Every structure is written in structure tokens, then in C-alpha cells.
Amino acid sequence: NAGVTQTPKFQVLKTGQSMTLQCAQDMNHNSMYWYRQDPGMGLRLIYYSASEGTTDKGEVPNGYNVSRLNKREFSLRLESAAPSQTSVYFCASSDNRGSLRAEAFFGQGTRLTVV
Amino acid sequence: DAKTTQPPSMDCAEGRAANLPCNHSTISGNEYVYWYRQIHSQGPQYIIHGLKNNETNEMASLIITEDRKSSTLILPHATLRDTAVYYCIVRVSTPRRAGNMLTFGGGTRLMVKP
């Protein structure tokens, strides 16, 4: 049981390049999330997907797009990377279909540097 | 979701109880208190959550005041591996709320010392 798996773990991009961060969960969760964390700060929500087929903006969506490919996978795309997007990106998932616990499980993060 | 206030940092001696406070004076009746921690830039890890009763699990205890305006996370016997940033989060936990996303503040950086 891998939980939430993110790829890649590290990435360096040049300004203007594009890339897609991949996230997959094997817990049959219906909701998935993308957060970013800048140095010394808390996590901020970029986009989320409450269920397969739906996506919504979070607190800081500008410069990003997402795709909920299927129930397992939720990808985050940077179309034209900027230095301000240098951050650690975390994917998370949770099951909100009736569990009062509804804890979120996080991946280990993708460390992205844009030069 | 209600806003939370936590001290930015705390120290605790190894083997002693760590008591981490959180104020959430604007909490609503249907909002839960959640605690997560983040060890050395890893992904955050769920610890515990509660509504109004005190809760205990294998990791920690959560004490919520009767008026629910504040809470305390207790690590009964802190170890060096408990050194982390602890986040107190208040949110509604209903199955149909879209996303049930978490809003993270700055958290409390707990340093457990030998």
C-alpha cells in the first residue's frame, strides 16, 4: 500500500518551460488536492478535486492547471514556469463519502526550482 | 472556516509531556478541530481530530475547552522524533462539503531537546 505517490521528487526548470507534476493514490479516495509550500510558510491550496470529473480553484491557482485523469490520478501542470513558482508541491487525498474521520493523506512532495 | 492562532515555537524536554495550545475563538458549532504535523519538510501527517469531547489515540490527546474556543494537543512523552511543525486546523467535516480541504496557518514549531 503506497498511499499517495508523487513524481518527480525533484525538478529544476528554466523560466518559461512547462512541466506536469504527477500524483496517484491507491486508497480509493474520492477527493484529491494540490498544495504548495514556500520556505518557512504553511501549505496553500492550489486546486482540488472533490470527486472524479470535478476540479475547483483553491487559494493560489494562477499559473497552474489540473487534470483529474481518473479516480487515482490528479496532475498539476505549469504551462510557463516562473521563478515565483519555486516551491515544494504536495499532493493529498481524502475520502469524504461518509467518514467523519476524513483525514487527508499527503505525498512526500516535489521540490521544484525555477531558474 | 474559523481562523486559528498558535504560538510560533515551543521547546520541550525529551520524555516530558508537550502541550501545544491553539485558539479558535470564532469556531462554529459544526466545525471540527484537526491537528497535523510536518516533520522536516515531509508531507503533513494527520494526528487527531475532535468536535467537543476530548479525544485520545495512539499518538496524542486532544483537549477541547467547554466553550470550544481553544484546544490543546498533548504528546504525553515527547521524543526527539516528535520535533516538527504542528498545525491546528478548524473546518467543517461533512461528507457533502466540496473537497473538505484543509487551510494551513503557520503552525507551532516544536523542538524536543535531550
Side-chain angles (χ1 to χ4, degrees):
Chain A
N1 222 1
V4 179
T5 303
Q6 293 183 232
T7 55
K9 290 185 170 54
F10 300 92
Q11 184 70 50
V12 178
L13 288 178
K14 294 182 178 179
T15 298
Q17 286 185 318
S18 62
M19 79 160 295
T20 300
L21 282 64
Q22 306 287 352
C23 175
Q25 51 91 9
D26 61 3
M27 295 170 283
N28 201 36
H29 287 167
N30 58 325
S31 296
M32 298 185 72
Y33 317 84
W34 276 105
Y35 289 87
R36 63 176 285 175
Q37 185 175 34
D38 299 331
M41 307 286 287
L43 282 73
R44 292 184 293 170
L45 183 67
I46 305 172
Y47 270 94
Y48 67 97
S49 171
S51 60
E52 188 178 354
T54 69
T55 61
D56 285 283
K57 295 179 180 179
E59 182 185 358
V60 288
N62 291 342
Y64 305 95
N65 285 301
V66 291
S67 295
R68 184 73 183 267
L69 304 170
N70 47 55
K71 191 170 187 179
R72 289 187 64 248
E73 299 172 288
F74 188 38
S75 63
L76 178 73
R77 183 161 178 83
L78 287 70
E79 291 291 352
S80 178
S84 61
Q85 294 178 304
T86 293
S87 190
V88 180
Y89 291 84
F90 290 101
C91 177
S93 70
S94 66
D95 185 350
N96 304 321
R97 291 172 297 172
S99 167
L100 288 178
R101 184 169 182 175
E103 67 181 272
F105 294 81
F106 286 80
Q108 288 305 298
T110 295
R111 283 147 183 81
L112 175 67
T113 301
V114 183
V115 297
Chain B
D1 291 342
K3 184 176 178 179
T4 62
T5 304
Q6 299 178 254
S9 64
M10 293 181 61
D11 290 343
C12 178
E14 187 179 19
R16 303 296 294 269
N19 296 279
L20 291 89
C22 180
N23 286 320
H24 30 80
S25 58
T26 60
I27 192 170
S28 300
N30 61 348
E31 289 183 313
Y32 284 70
V33 179
Y34 283 75
W35 283 84
Y36 282 74
R37 73 179 182 183
Q38 188 175 25
I39 297 173
H40 191 52
S41 297
Q42 296 176 16
Q45 175 190 22
Y46 166 86
I47 301 173
I48 199 168
H49 81 287
L51 182 61
K52 53 184 177 182
N53 297 323
N54 297 338
E55 302 288 346
T56 296
N57 63 20
E58 64 277 7
M59 290 182 68
S61 295
L62 174 61
I63 307 299
I64 302 174
T65 58
E66 193 169 342
D67 63 7
R68 302 208 326 120
K69 293 185 177 182
S70 65
S71 61
T72 301
L73 179 74
I74 301 172
L75 308 178
H77 305 287
T79 71
L80 299 179
R81 288 178 295 180
D82 291 321
T83 292
V85 177
Y86 288 77
Y87 296 99
C88 171
I89 299 167
V90 173
R91 68 167 171 84
V92 175
S93 182
T94 56
R96 289 177 174 78
R97 177 178 167 87
N100 269 345
M101 74 287 288
L102 301 166
T103 301
F104 288 81
T108 295
R109 185 173 298 275
L110 176 69
M111 180 73 70
V112 181
K113 298 183 175 181

